[in-house]
Amino acid sequence: MRQMDRRTFVGGMAGVLAAPLMAGCVRTGSAPAEDGPDATADHTLRCQIDPPAAMDPALICDVGGMQVASQLFDAPMRFDAATGAALPLAVESCEMASDALSCTMHMRADATFHTGEPVRAEHFKRAWERLVATPAGLAAALAAGTAGTSAESEGDEAASDGDGAADGSSAAAVAGDATAGAASGAEEDRDPNFAGLLAFVEGYDALRAGAAAELSGVTCPDELTLHIAFTEPCAVFPLVATHPALAPVSDTAFDDGKGPARPPIGNGPFMFDAQTSTDRELHLTRFDGYCGDAVRLESVVLELDRDVAAAYRRLETGRLDACSVPVDQLEAAAGTFGVAEGDRTSPGTAMLRMQGLSMQYVVCNIASTALESVPVRRALSLAIDRDTLCEKALRQAFEPATGPVPEVLATGAVAPWSWCAYDAETAAELLEPLYPADEDGARDLSLTLVCSKRGVDAKIADTLVSDFKALGIALHSEALDRDALRKRLRDGDFDLACLGWTPAYPDLFAIAHPLLSSAAAGATNFSGYADAALDEAIASARSMVDPAARRARLGEAFAMAGEATPIIPLAVERQTLVAGERVERIGLDARGVVQLASAELA
């Protein structure tokens, strides 16, 4: 298995395990009933989510796992979408050294786990070492039944990796193989968890390889201080630390010193109720000892259901309080519930429809004879009708991309790319000197596009074939399995490729470095694009502690890439959530995680 090294630690949320919930935590139960009495208590909110592969922070690897872990565990920091900054959550403060080679976190003296045990610096150190120590840690968990596989879970996973844009919600579309296919590759090539988030920490390589017993770069000068030393400048670490995989582990989180305890013991706003949870519903209760902002809900029921259409019907009839919106109901739901302006619903505007972090791109192999010309790459980008792609092919599960990054990360630092507009006339003018059209409008230009067999790639490919044909270009698409696709990408055996990308943490660096840096060539940068000035811009941003300065520098890098057009942005994922009439307010974060700790019932 290939470890995620320093050059590729910014990978996305690929690597999904075909694994059910923590064995032993839940009872066997039936699916949420379509008929029957309203089971919602006065102060209990019922919310639909995708079934998680695991709830353990060291093992989460999918959207469902992120949803559950974010309710049970607090990461050190949280992402503020309004400012693009990382703010303290589980810790009291976070200080980066001026050279960005180290970081110091100070613990909250009043923070406790669900058992009442105080949260201290050593608990973060232990958690991070456990995270990095996988796959050994993962193997122990598998042996303990924590993340085992079953025929049922494998079938469910295949369902989520299918045509999400056609059959499910926008979240299902993003979770499909469009993201995982190009970015992660073969099964044995993928990390089982998010250990790579810590790849710049001193001692990572040795611990990951099993040659050391601890992360030497993580030390605890006292019980309330955590010091992290990096092998290279890592000014972005506060944003890395917003990931729930970096949540602390308690002293009582292990039954025998090896396997994780059941039920999970977190430090977050809700506790897991093992007595009433089933394999179809997870029951959470408010943690009254929580030291964060006041939690108004007494309890939460998470209905594990990939059938978004069925969940939406339950919401319409009052048997569910919050769920995603089926793509074929988006416009109707907007009219019925009203669309909120920001990331939180309110009475009268009970639907959220906002951009997420995942994007779909077309990668141009600039070593291809046909694509070595910048005007040709720009013409291809201008020939794509992104509005039609998103509205018809992707059925509004995505929004047209106007630039290389989602708007929530652009924050004014990354300008739109003019080549993302739909302008067939200008595209034809750019092509004419190199590939003049004959009397039938055809050009002597034939291209091959490779894509995944699963996810939204096939729909994207069909649209591109049509758009390029209108310009006189013959495009032939090849849908491949994971292994074949990865080999073609690594070998440079393609002209164009569909690529989905989800940054592992909310920062521009997590897109610029893997997709554009020459340091990531052949690993995640498959275009063959290399520019010394762009590499320097990305490298210098790594040491900029000031977030605004770092974003501005990375904005310069994206501007350089925009001139060369090695990748063609297509679409940005659309997160959706709708709340029933009992809900006063509820929100989503940039990752699409439902913000239950701040939700309120009417």
Side-chain angles (χ1 to χ4, degrees):
M1 179 175 292
R2 175 183 61 86
Q3 278 90 52
M4 188 182 297
D5 61 21
R6 295 186 183 88
R7 297 181 183 275
T8 59
F9 84 112
V10 289
M13 287 172 57
V16 175
L17 299 172
L21 301 177
M22 300 181 90
C25 284
V26 297
R27 299 178 290 111
T28 300
S30 60
E34 284 292 324
D35 300 304
D38 185 349
T40 305
D42 286 347
H43 299 286
T44 298
L45 184 146
R46 298 186 72 93
C47 179
Q48 168 263 338
I49 67 168
D50 281 353
M55 296 183 287
D56 186 334
L59 300 179
I60 56 174
C61 55
D62 59 359
V63 177
M66 292 274 289
Q67 293 277 12
V68 180
S70 296
Q71 316 307 329
L72 301 177
F73 297 87
D74 272 359
M77 310 291 287
R78 67 178 179 86
F79 176 63
D80 181 12
T83 63
L87 302 177
L89 182 59
V91 302
E92 185 173 85
S93 64
C94 177
E95 303 164 0
M96 288 296 304
S98 59
D99 59 5
L101 283 172
S102 65
C103 174
T104 302
M105 292 182 173
H106 299 280
M107 305 297 106
R108 298 184 59 150
D110 58 345
T112 67
F113 290 101
H114 297 159
T115 57
E117 175 190 357
V119 178
R120 296 296 181 250
E122 64 180 311
H123 297 123
F124 287 94
K125 176 178 171 63
R126 175 190 296 125
W128 297 0
E129 289 171 346
R130 179 169 171 260
L131 176 69
V132 175
T134 54
L138 178 62
L142 286 167
T146 303
T149 60
S150 69
E152 179 181 359
S153 67
E154 289 171 358
D156 288 345
E157 198 60 55
S160 75
D161 278 343
D163 268 338
D167 303 323
S169 67
S170 56
V174 172
D177 200 56
T179 299
S184 64
E187 193 74 26
E188 67 272 12
D189 232 17
R190 297 185 291 158
D191 271 318
N193 62 5
F194 284 92
L197 291 166
L198 299 172
F200 279 164
V201 175
E202 288 183 3
Y204 171 87
D205 289 337
L207 179 58
R208 191 70 169 161
E214 65 171 345
L215 275 174
S216 59
V218 180
T219 56
C220 305
D222 57 62
E223 65 177 13
L224 294 178
T225 305
L226 186 72
H227 184 76
I228 307 105
F230 308 112
T231 56
E232 299 178 43
C234 191
V236 76
F237 190 74
L239 285 160
V240 174
T242 64
H243 200 288
L246 300 189
V249 171
S250 80
D251 287 337
T252 53
F254 298 92
D255 292 316
D256 56 6
K258 297 179 181 179
R262 307 179 182 89
I265 299 169
N267 63 324
F270 294 98
M271 300 184 296
F272 182 73
D273 187 343
Q275 298 302 313
T276 59
S277 293
T278 71
D279 57 359
R280 299 291 183 175
E281 294 183 350
L282 300 183
H283 291 215
L284 314 181
T285 59
R286 181 175 62 204
F287 175 39
D288 290 329
Y290 185 57
C291 66
D293 295 338
V295 179
R296 296 184 180 275
L297 298 177
E298 289 184 1
S299 58
V300 172
V301 174
L302 299 177
E303 293 190 0
L304 311 182
D305 192 357
R306 286 197 177 93
D307 188 343
V308 180
Y312 187 70
R313 290 193 295 270
R314 293 198 297 277
L315 181 134
E316 289 182 305
T317 55
R319 296 192 295 275
L320 190 65
D321 295 311
C323 68
S324 299
V325 183
V327 292
D328 60 357
Q329 295 287 332
L330 284 172
E331 291 307 311
T336 300
F337 295 96
V339 179
E341 288 290 333
D343 59 0
R344 181 176 295 192
T345 67
S346 61
T349 55
M351 177 178 168
L352 295 174
R353 187 167 61 183
M354 49 190 281
Q355 282 192 0
L357 297 180
S358 295
M359 285 190 63
Q360 296 292 327
Y361 302 89
V362 169
V363 176
C364 300
N365 181 2
I366 63 175
S368 167
T369 302
L371 297 176
E372 62 184 2
S373 166
V374 172
V376 172
R377 301 199 293 269
R378 291 177 178 175
L380 296 180
S381 183
L382 289 167
I384 300 170
D385 185 348
R386 292 168 177 80
D387 288 329
T388 298
L389 170 67
C390 293
E391 181 179 351
K392 295 184 178 180
L394 301 179
R395 298 178 63 186
Q396 303 181 60
F398 292 81
E399 297 180 9
T402 59
V405 299
E407 291 179 6
V408 70
L409 298 184
T411 57
V414 181
W417 286 1
S418 58
W419 315 113
C420 286
Y422 176 48
D423 188 343
E425 183 177 347
T426 300
E429 292 174 356
L430 288 170
L431 284 177
E432 197 63 25
L434 295 170
Y435 299 97
D438 62 20
E439 58 184 15
D440 296 323
R443 304 177 190 276
D444 186 21
L445 179 57
S446 179
L447 300 171
T448 297
L449 178 141
V450 295
C451 65
S452 171
K453 285 182 175 180
R454 302 159 73 184
V456 299
D457 284 24
K459 290 179 170 57
I460 292 173
D462 288 345
T463 299
L464 297 182
V465 167
S466 177
D467 286 344
F468 290 178
K469 181 178 180 181
L471 197 60
I473 300 171
L475 179 65
H476 307 280
S477 64
E478 297 183 34
L480 307 170
D481 60 26
R482 291 179 193 265
D483 291 353
L485 177 59
R486 183 70 177 189
K487 186 177 189 307
R488 293 282 291 274
L489 292 171
R490 283 175 167 169
D491 294 346
D493 184 15
F494 68 97
D495 294 316
L496 302 170
C498 285
L499 171 69
W501 189 259
T502 305
Y505 54 90
D507 190 76
L508 296 174
F509 187 84
I511 299 175
H513 183 273
L515 299 189
L516 300 173
S517 171
S518 62
T524 47
N525 174 2
F526 298 112
S527 68
Y529 172 64
D531 181 280
L534 181 141
D535 285 344
E536 196 282 327
I538 294 175
S540 63
R542 178 177 286 155
S543 61
M544 292 181 173
V545 175
D546 177 49
R550 184 175 66 253
R551 285 195 295 269
R553 189 67 171 126
L554 290 169
E556 295 174 8
F558 280 110
M560 297 177 203
E563 291 301 309
T565 324
I567 57 174
I568 298 174
L570 295 178
V572 188
E573 72 163 319
R574 177 178 277 174
Q575 307 277 12
T576 64
L577 183 75
V578 65
E581 61 182 14
R582 297 178 65 247
V583 181
E584 185 78 10
R585 60 180 52 86
I586 192 170
L588 280 173
D589 72 3
R591 292 185 173 101
V593 173
V594 184
Q595 300 297 282
L596 295 173
S598 58
E600 297 182 43
L601 293 175

